[in-house]
Amino acid sequence: MTDVAPPTTRKDWSSDQEVRWCPGCGDYSILAAVQLLMPELGVRREDTVFVSGIGCASRFPYYMNTYGMHSIHGRAPAIATGLAMARPDLDIWVIGGDGDMLSIGGNHLIHALRRNINVTILLFNNQIYGLTKGQYSPTSETGKVTKSTPFGSIEAPFNPISLAIGAEATFVARTHDMDRAHMMEMFRRAHAHNGASVVEIYQNCNVFNDGAFEEITAKAHRADMLIPLEHGQPVRFGADGEHGVTAGADGKLRIVEVAEVGEDAILVHDETDPGLAFQLSRLASGPHTPTPIGVFRAVERPEYAEQASAQIAAAQAKAGPGDLQQLLLSGATWTVS
Amino acid sequence: MSDIAERTPVELDRVIIRFAGDSGDGMQLTGDRFTSASALLGNDLATLPEYPAEIRAPAGTVFGVSAFQVHISDHDITTPGDSPNVLVAMNPAALMSELDKLEPGGTVIINTDAFEERNLAKAGYDENPLTDGVTLKGYTVYEVPMTSLTKGACEALGVKPRDAERSKNFFALGLISWMYTRPVQPTIDWINAKFAGKELVRDANIAAFKAGHAFGETAELFDHPYVVKPAEQPPGTYTNISGNVAVAWGLIASSQLSELPLFLGSYPITPASDILHELSKHKNFGVRTLQAEDEIAGIGSALGAAYGGHLAVTTTSGPGMDLKAETIGLAINLELPLIIVDVQRGGPSTGLPTKTEQSDLMLAFYGHHGESPLPIIAAYSPANCFDMTIEAARLALKYRTPVILLTDGYLANGTEPWRIPDVADLPRFPMAFATGPNGSDDEGNPVYLPYLRDPDTLARPLALPGTPELMHRIGGLEKADGSGNVSYSPENHEHMTHLRADKIAGIADDIPHQEIRGDEDAEILVVGWGSTWGAISGAVDRVRAKGRRVAQAHITHLSPFPENLGEVLRRYPKVLVPEMNLGQLSKLLRAEYLVDARSVNKMRGVPFTAGELEQAILAELDR
């Protein structure tokens, strides 16, 4: 075996299993983006593992010709944490939806991010429960009418990006299922990040929540409704970059017309500034007003499994590899002859 | 003053001492040090620590009492003893809560300094029991002002009286060490090592310990000290071991015997946390420990590590078992090796966190949805936890299944001498993973079939991530036999349900037959599992000594049961099952074997005594 992975094509990464999402589901375009990206990453299929929870999104591993585990609802980040600690040599992706990772599995998501374990988390956010046929989710907007909220949801939704930043995530990004190139770029960067990375993907559920993101992701609206974030670049959007984001004297971010405030007043994005990342995550309160996409935050922090391995190496350097007989004799002992 | 030479030690074959005081008084430490000194002397011994769930319950109250019972003997013993011979009471609350446990006419050693008005009131005494002429009637009482004697001993060291007071448990230890002629030096060495760097504390503890010892020697209070000679034990090197440490060491041993790295995913919970603590110390054995965010992540991370090829374990107690149920089901369905250690405690809900019980047996059998059998084994003594942990690992790896190992709070914290095995004598079970295809597709191309079973064990092959050409997907959905692809076929589901059950049932061929202790032609068979072994053994011996014919079967393998168990049960006219629950094993035996297994129950948070079970056996014989 050589160190360089042999070249592959999308076909090599596709399993023999028939894809069974509803026709028109946004999950298809995410699957295509991942399968198209993998050959570009120079990694081996056998070293790649997809771990998922339960939900429509979590069927994902069955369609990848890699190792994979379709686990139980919400627990994929916990299972992946153990796998990543045991096998830092593997390339581990975690797949789940908004119900899976923000509701039943919310605890595991925030702790995986906090620990900075080296997994790439793709959070398919369609703001609805699909597999259980249409109940409101922790990202559904207040007032959402569903089967379980016939009078409208009275709950405030999570903002997944704010949540991830609050959980000390070292890499946080957002993309959407209508832009394959942008998805691939976000996945590429998330994969390259050493530590826990999370990418929120606005994903359309055409059966139970069709058009949830249309106001911002439809081709006709995109230029005015999506704010691309690029490190070191002014935060501008619009067909001609005519809109922008400024930080006022009060510290608040505002959407402005560049012509009115001047180019120098436009905020420059800094992925390493956690305060800025949080503020940007609050710029839109739902996919109805101009919404930032791209990498909100990317910082370096020691990775968890590496540190765990380093502690083992240090202990072995100090005490030598464990001697079982000596361990059993390590307490107070006495001999009967 | 009596001449010391006159006070020749009197020989005892055994003694049961109970140290009791406030939970801040250091009674567990005192008992533990006395135990260690006795172990080094070669006594057989068994211990029973009992402490409240609160870290510092209100001082001086009855529910804040912490006690440690130790039974030392010159012969083989199996329990921490029925009734203590000696009670050391450091305050009124300890006397109030513990005196009724003492044998009639037993010895009480009292720290009189603590018997002042406030403490008496807190303990619920209207009158001082030392002077009321009633409370201590019939007991041999030694009144020792331990607090003031300790303060006096520490005065010259420049220790503040308030700080010196905290060394009074070492005074008590010194006194009892003199009374039972324990060697002094090991305790002094221990204090030196433990309190290195805290010179004043170290010196105060040593001064208090020596003062207690000297007090026994010089005060005219005591007629003579006692000697409990070493027990006859098979040759070997021994150490005193608790169940939790034995589990931890058993896991490290299993890692070496299976040649797999060890991974523990765990969430702190009483009384299991010490396994996590112990394993976290031994990173040089390549042990990875994760203190997870919750019980579910504890087992989830372990399952992930198992999938990655580690020997994976999660440790917990009852409430944690409830939370792990869904992941145990996933492990059963994925057919991945996983060890689940349940250190049982009193339930339901938070129940009695620090007290022992055996009430999770049905949970282990049936506490996960669907038809989901798995191997269940139980340790019967603190030292046996080592062997049963290795057995859990062997079964998990060989049959690619989660295995539940049941211990309990008594085994976890109790200790006994353990003859340290020669590592070369331990069973080896190196794990082999799949390296290449094991089947072919419709076109004859080689493929990997993750659910193509070994015809003998019905175990499936395991291909680790990282193995070229064997990429496959597994999941909680029902799988097609062989290929492991998702299958909703009714025939396949029924077939797979049977296969999973048959795999576990087949393990009966791979475990020891049920052994019987006692009389072949017994009038009664006493059946137990888990930590009741010591008390049942003691009780059976006593009833046999009275001329009755009794047999004992102690079950270590509960799922599947040993192949011959039904035949064994039917051999005897009567079957009695003592359990620290409402009769869970007896229900299982009745259901499985249609025998009239009668139940004896205790749910008091403390083990059966041999005396209680002796009465129960005699009552059943006469029924």
Side-chain angles (χ1 to χ4, degrees):
Chain A
M1 199 164 32
T2 59
D3 288 327
V4 181
T8 54
T9 64
R10 175 180 177 178
K11 192 166 170 288
D12 293 318
W13 292 86
S14 310
S15 79
D16 60 355
Q17 299 295 298
E18 188 190 342
V19 183
R20 293 195 191 180
W21 287 310
C22 306
C25 176
D27 289 354
Y28 283 94
S29 61
I30 303 172
L31 178 65
V34 171
Q35 288 178 339
L36 284 165
L37 175 69
M38 298 311 287
E40 294 181 20
L41 295 180
V43 293
R44 293 169 193 279
R45 290 174 299 169
E46 62 265 28
D47 294 338
T48 305
V49 186
F50 283 84
V51 182
S52 66
I54 292 293
C56 295
S58 291
R59 296 295 177 99
F60 197 97
Y62 289 121
Y63 309 134
M64 296 297 298
N65 187 17
T66 62
Y67 284 89
M69 185 196 291
H70 178 214
S71 74
I72 41 180
H73 205 13
R75 316 306 170 199
I79 292 169
T81 294
L83 179 62
M85 280 183 75
R87 296 289 304 277
D89 58 310
L90 297 173
D91 199 11
I92 301 169
W93 299 69
V94 176
I95 308 290
D98 43 309
D100 192 57
M101 283 210 254
L102 296 174
S103 194
I104 193 168
N107 198 31
H108 307 307
L109 176 70
I110 58 175
H111 288 278
L113 296 176
R114 173 180 70 87
R115 290 195 183 98
N116 202 31
I117 185 81
N118 193 21
V119 296
T120 306
I121 301 170
L122 305 187
L123 170 53
F124 295 29
N125 182 8
N126 57 14
Q127 301 191 342
I128 200 78
Y129 280 80
L131 198 63
T132 50
K133 301 193 172 62
Q135 299 82 10
Y136 75 109
S137 91
T139 54
S140 296
E141 66 275 18
T142 306
K144 181 85 174 170
V145 174
T146 70
K147 283 178 190 161
S148 58
T149 51
F151 303 102
S153 161
I154 53 173
E155 298 185 12
F158 266 136
N159 177 327
I161 301 291
S162 302
L163 180 78
I165 294 165
E168 304 293 340
T170 54
F171 184 97
V172 183
R174 177 189 284 147
T175 186
H176 67 96
D177 62 3
M178 300 291 283
D179 187 342
R180 176 179 290 167
H182 191 264
M183 275 195 286
M184 287 174 67
E185 182 54 24
M186 290 303 104
F187 300 164
R188 188 193 328 272
R189 286 213 44 202
H191 174 264
H193 180 74
N194 187 30
S197 49
V198 59
V199 182
E200 180 193 19
I201 309 158
Y202 281 161
Q203 173 245 323
N204 190 43
C205 171
N206 58 320
V207 174
F208 294 108
N209 202 19
D210 195 23
F213 305 101
E214 201 169 348
E215 285 173 64
I216 62 167
T217 61
K219 274 222 169 83
H221 310 148
R222 247 181 244 173
D224 289 328
M225 295 299 275
L226 292 179
I227 309 173
L229 301 176
E230 282 181 56
H231 184 60
Q233 296 298 316
V235 182
R236 293 177 70 161
F237 62 109
D240 301 311
E242 67 271 30
H243 317 303
V245 175
T246 60
D250 58 1
K252 285 186 181 159
L253 300 191
R254 288 187 181 79
I255 290 168
V256 293
E257 296 306 307
V258 178
E260 288 174 20
V261 298
E263 289 195 3
D264 292 348
I266 300 300
L267 179 78
V268 174
H269 184 45
D270 180 356
E271 294 171 351
T272 65
D273 179 342
L276 177 60
F278 191 79
Q279 279 182 305
L280 285 167
S281 77
R282 312 303 292 176
L283 202 54
S285 57
H288 312 290
T289 59
T291 301
I293 62 167
V295 178
F296 286 73
R297 179 165 200 224
V299 295
E300 293 299 318
R301 185 149 60 79
E303 192 275 324
Y304 191 80
E306 281 172 12
Q307 294 181 85
S309 296
Q311 284 194 338
I312 289 175
Q316 289 178 335
K318 194 176 165 204
D323 179 328
L324 180 59
Q325 194 73 61
Q326 286 311 310
L327 173 69
L328 304 189
L329 291 164
S330 62
T333 62
W334 67 98
T335 301
V336 176
S337 46
Chain B
M1 199 174 189
S2 28
D3 181 359
I4 289 169
E6 278 178 17
R7 300 199 294 173
T8 315
V10 170
E11 208 171 300
L12 294 175
D13 65 341
R14 63 189 190 110
V15 67
I16 302 159
I17 303 170
R18 194 169 174 89
F19 297 93
D22 197 65
S23 48
D25 281 346
M27 289 298 97
Q28 300 302 320
L29 185 74
T30 308
D32 192 54
R33 294 325 305 160
F34 184 84
T35 303
S36 291
S38 301
L40 291 177
L41 209 60
N43 294 132
D44 196 15
L45 59 87
T47 64
L48 175 65
E50 281 187 74
Y51 46 89
E54 294 77 16
I55 299 303
R56 287 280 185 277
T61 60
V62 167
F63 56 90
V65 170
S66 171
F68 187 104
Q69 186 165 316
V70 53
H71 183 183
I72 58 174
S73 161
D74 68 0
H75 56 276
D76 189 28
I77 51 169
T78 56
T79 76
D82 292 7
S83 305
N85 311 113
V86 180
L87 172 66
V88 180
M90 298 301 284
N91 68 0
L95 190 69
M96 174 62 99
S97 79
E98 306 298 316
L99 186 64
D100 64 343
K101 299 183 174 84
L102 195 62
E103 67 172 355
T107 300
V108 195
I109 300 170
I110 292 175
N111 175 22
T112 50
D113 287 330
F115 281 66
E116 39 83 25
E117 215 167 299
R118 229 172 94 81
N119 282 337
L120 289 168
K122 276 199 232 169
Y125 281 117
D126 295 332
E127 240 185 290
N128 190 337
L130 304 184
T131 54
D132 67 6
V134 181
T135 308
L136 294 168
K137 198 164 181 239
Y139 294 106
T140 307
V141 180
Y142 296 109
E143 297 186 9
V144 185
M146 295 191 205
T147 311
S148 45
L149 287 169
T150 302
K151 283 182 189 167
C154 296
E155 211 174 352
L157 299 170
V159 184
K160 287 186 205 133
R162 255 191 79 84
D163 293 337
E165 190 181 331
R166 286 159 62 182
S167 295
K168 64 181 181 293
N169 59 325
F170 282 97
F171 184 96
L173 179 62
L175 177 57
I176 302 297
S177 296
W178 172 81
M179 276 185 78
Y180 293 96
T181 51
R182 305 290 98 177
V184 171
Q185 201 55 43
T187 297
I188 292 177
D189 291 346
W190 181 87
I191 295 172
N192 271 321
K194 175 81 181 176
F195 300 101
K198 293 181 191 163
E199 281 175 27
L200 268 188
V201 181
R202 178 196 67 194
D203 294 347
N205 286 340
I206 290 176
F209 177 70
K210 286 183 172 169
H213 199 273
F215 181 82
E217 203 165 53
T218 54
E220 291 195 28
L221 227 43
F222 306 97
D223 295 339
H224 50 75
Y226 297 92
V227 165
V228 180
K229 287 194 168 160
E232 287 260 343
Q233 288 169 319
T237 302
Y238 287 76
T239 192
N240 194 40
I241 196 164
S242 70
N244 273 346
V245 170
V247 167
W249 290 4
L251 288 169
I252 292 173
S254 300
S255 161
Q256 299 214 337
L257 299 169
S258 62
E259 298 170 17
L260 297 181
L262 181 62
F263 181 95
L264 170 71
S266 185
Y267 187 76
I269 186 168
T270 303
S273 303
D274 278 342
I275 304 173
L276 168 63
H277 303 160
E278 180 66 21
L279 282 175
S280 299
K281 286 196 287 196
H282 299 297
K283 293 202 187 298
N284 63 321
F285 284 87
V287 179
R288 279 175 172 75
T289 56
L290 172 68
Q291 182 179 313
E293 58 270 25
D294 57 28
E295 294 280 359
I296 298 170
I299 187 170
S301 59
L303 188 67
Y307 180 58
H310 281 221
L311 175 64
V313 60
T314 188
T315 50
T316 190
S317 187
M321 286 297 283
D322 295 348
L323 289 166
K324 292 180 198 297
E326 190 188 14
T327 311
I328 294 174
L330 177 64
I332 290 171
N333 204 11
L334 296 181
E335 302 191 43
L336 284 173
L338 181 64
I339 302 168
I340 301 123
V341 182
D342 176 8
V343 185
Q344 300 166 95
R345 68 190 214 189
S349 188
T350 309
L352 303 173
T354 61
K355 309 288 182 189
T356 195
E357 206 162 270
Q358 292 183 299
S359 43
D360 294 353
L361 184 62
M362 286 299 192
L363 171 77
F365 265 85
Y366 300 116
H368 6 89
H369 69 273
E371 291 292 346
S372 46
L374 78 173
I376 302 162
I377 62 176
Y380 63 77
S381 78
N384 178 247
C385 289
F386 180 82
D387 293 330
M388 293 315 288
T389 302
I390 293 174
E391 176 68 350
R394 181 186 76 88
L395 293 175
L397 292 170
K398 183 168 176 181
Y399 295 93
R400 287 81 202 267
T401 175
V403 174
I404 295 177
L405 169 63
L406 295 171
T407 74
D408 61 33
Y410 167 49
L411 295 179
N413 293 319
T415 61
E416 67 175 343
W418 176 48
R419 185 155 65 118
I420 298 167
D422 186 337
V423 167
D425 295 337
L426 296 174
R428 302 197 78 82
F429 39 93
M431 185 66 184
F433 294 100
T435 53
N438 59 350
S440 50
D441 64 13
D442 295 342
E443 288 143 29
N445 301 312
V447 291
Y448 174 62
L449 301 171
Y451 283 80
L452 186 69
R453 291 164 196 280
D454 178 303
D456 292 331
T457 60
L458 297 182
R460 76 178 188 91
L462 292 182
L464 296 183
T467 314
E469 304 305 320
L470 305 190
M471 288 85 72
H472 64 283
R473 275 65 55 194
I474 56 176
L477 289 169
E478 183 62 284
K479 298 161 200 60
D481 189 17
S483 74
N485 287 332
V486 175
S487 166
Y488 299 120
S489 138
E491 294 76 19
N492 177 73
H493 176 56
E494 186 158 282
H495 175 63
M496 290 295 278
T497 302
H498 280 299
L499 267 180
R500 285 187 288 264
D502 290 349
K503 179 178 83 168
I504 302 306
I507 293 174
D509 292 336
D510 194 17
I511 60 174
H513 272 202
Q514 183 59 48
E515 282 181 21
I516 300 298
R517 189 175 159 268
D519 301 304
E520 278 295 318
D521 59 342
E523 307 158 72
I524 189 169
L525 176 71
V526 186
V527 182
W529 67 280
S531 71
T532 51
W533 169 78
I536 294 176
S537 302
V540 166
D541 290 347
R542 290 186 199 181
V543 178
R544 291 179 71 206
K546 290 189 164 144
R548 305 301 296 259
R549 299 187 313 282
V550 186
Q552 176 187 0
H554 207 77
I555 304 175
T556 54
H557 291 72
L558 294 148
S559 168
F561 285 123
E563 224 166 26
N564 65 331
L565 186 61
E567 182 267 314
V568 165
L569 292 169
R570 291 185 199 102
R571 211 186 289 164
Y572 302 94
K574 287 181 174 176
V575 176
L576 190 67
V577 188
E579 287 179 273
M580 291 188 287
N581 59 41
L582 281 175
Q584 300 189 10
L585 177 64
S586 77
K587 265 200 196 81
L588 290 166
L589 296 179
R590 284 166 167 264
E592 188 74 18
Y593 300 110
L594 290 173
V595 294
D596 185 17
R598 295 178 67 89
S599 193
V600 184
N601 319 112
K602 183 174 186 180
M603 281 84 47
R604 304 177 70 92
V606 288
F608 282 109
T609 65
E612 286 167 349
L613 291 181
E614 177 190 359
Q615 292 312 311
I617 296 169
L618 287 170
E620 181 63 16
L621 280 170
D622 293 338
R623 186 175 59 87

